[in-house]
Amino acid sequence: MLLLQIDTLNPVADTAASTIQTMPTGEELRFIELLFKGGWVMLPLALLAFMGLVIFVERYLTIRKASKDEMNLMLQVKQSVKSAKLDSALAICRNSNTPLGRMLEKGLLRIGRPIKDIEGAIENVGKLEVSKLEKNISILGIIAGIAPMLGFVGTIIGVITIFHEVSVKGIIEIGTISGGLYVKMITSATGLIIGIIAYVLYHILNIMVDRIILKMETDAIEFIDLLEEPGK
């Protein structure tokens, strides 16, 4: 009989165990509750985090598209220029729809003018393309600086509130002070985390842009050398 009772209870125990596993743990609930206890400062911090994420994803995809391998583009342009097929070279550059393609297109349109004029035109287009790639990246740097300071402001406001309550009551309770402080420190921790992440993402995008700039400068020099070859 005892064995039968144990066998009967096993399905119930298994069901209860599976139900407990699917429910959120106490630590997860406490963490979410702590975030909400951070106060109104958590709202602008969340906004900064969302803004930084959107900017990074948008810039990353744009820069990644601009940094695609353009070796075939340069080879095709060189072959067309050596064959005196400028129209074909221009069509190749326009179809590429890349920063390098637009730079080479401007240089091809200036063929027949002094080399200095061609270099100046390519350089100007290059500056415009770089400024397009760097658009909004500086905002990530601003977020990296503002988020920790905003989190610290939230903590300071919380501390002021705690000591104001102590002064009103006239009684110093260690539990009230320590409990209030650890809750208010959440804003500082959140601000620091957001700032560190934004700082890292900011430098990742800058490194990607620097690589594109180096590639553009190298290809521009190669293009100018091509125009300066004898017979061109």
Side-chain angles (χ1 to χ4, degrees):
M1 292 297 292
L2 181 60
L3 292 175
L4 289 174
Q5 290 177 354
I6 293 173
D7 291 339
T8 305
L9 290 173
N10 280 339
V12 177
D14 293 340
T15 304
S18 61
T19 304
I20 292 173
Q21 289 177 356
T22 56
M23 292 176 63
T25 63
E27 292 181 358
E28 292 176 351
L29 291 174
R30 283 197 297 269
F31 179 73
I32 295 174
E33 290 174 0
L34 284 176
L35 290 180
F36 280 108
K37 287 181 179 179
W40 63 268
V41 178
M42 297 297 290
L43 184 60
L45 285 175
L47 181 61
L48 289 177
F50 177 75
M51 185 187 305
L53 182 61
V54 170
I55 291 173
F56 174 76
V57 172
E58 188 272 332
R59 284 293 89 194
Y60 179 83
L61 295 176
T62 301
I63 296 171
R64 186 73 180 270
K65 180 181 178 181
S67 62
K68 67 180 182 180
D69 188 11
E70 298 172 330
M71 185 62 67
N72 292 332
L73 171 63
M74 197 64 196
L75 290 175
Q76 292 175 0
V77 171
K78 287 173 67 176
Q79 292 174 358
S80 298
V81 172
K82 289 180 178 180
S83 302
K85 298 178 180 178
L86 296 183
D87 292 337
S88 175
L90 285 170
I92 293 170
C93 292
R94 287 167 182 162
N95 292 332
S96 69
N97 192 28
T98 59
L100 177 60
R102 287 185 281 272
M103 283 177 58
L104 297 180
E105 179 185 356
K106 181 63 68 173
L108 290 169
L109 292 173
R110 294 293 188 274
I111 288 181
R113 297 186 181 182
I115 290 295
K116 290 296 182 182
D117 292 347
I118 299 176
E119 288 180 350
I122 292 177
E123 183 179 353
N124 291 334
V125 174
K127 290 178 180 178
L128 290 175
E129 294 297 330
V130 170
S131 65
K132 291 178 183 178
L133 293 176
E134 293 177 338
K135 180 183 177 183
N136 293 333
I137 292 181
S138 59
I139 296 178
L140 276 177
I142 295 174
I143 292 175
I146 289 179
M149 290 189 292
L150 188 59
F152 185 67
V153 167
T155 300
I156 293 299
I157 293 175
V159 171
I160 293 173
T161 303
I162 291 171
F163 281 98
H164 174 70
E165 293 177 357
V166 170
S167 66
V168 171
K169 294 179 180 179
I171 301 174
I172 299 177
E173 298 177 351
I174 300 300
T176 303
I177 295 176
S178 61
L181 280 178
Y182 94 85
V183 169
K184 298 306 177 183
M185 289 294 288
I186 294 171
T187 58
S188 288
T190 304
L192 282 173
I193 292 172
I194 294 173
I196 291 171
I197 294 174
Y199 182 80
V200 172
L201 298 181
Y202 170 77
H203 283 285
I204 288 174
L205 294 180
N206 275 323
I207 290 172
M208 294 175 67
V209 171
D210 288 341
R211 289 177 179 174
I212 294 178
I213 292 173
L214 179 60
K215 183 68 169 59
M216 291 168 62
E217 290 177 348
T218 303
D219 290 336
I221 293 173
E222 186 178 352
F223 178 74
I224 295 298
D225 291 340
L226 174 64
L227 298 182
E228 289 183 327
E229 289 181 4
K232 295 294 182 289

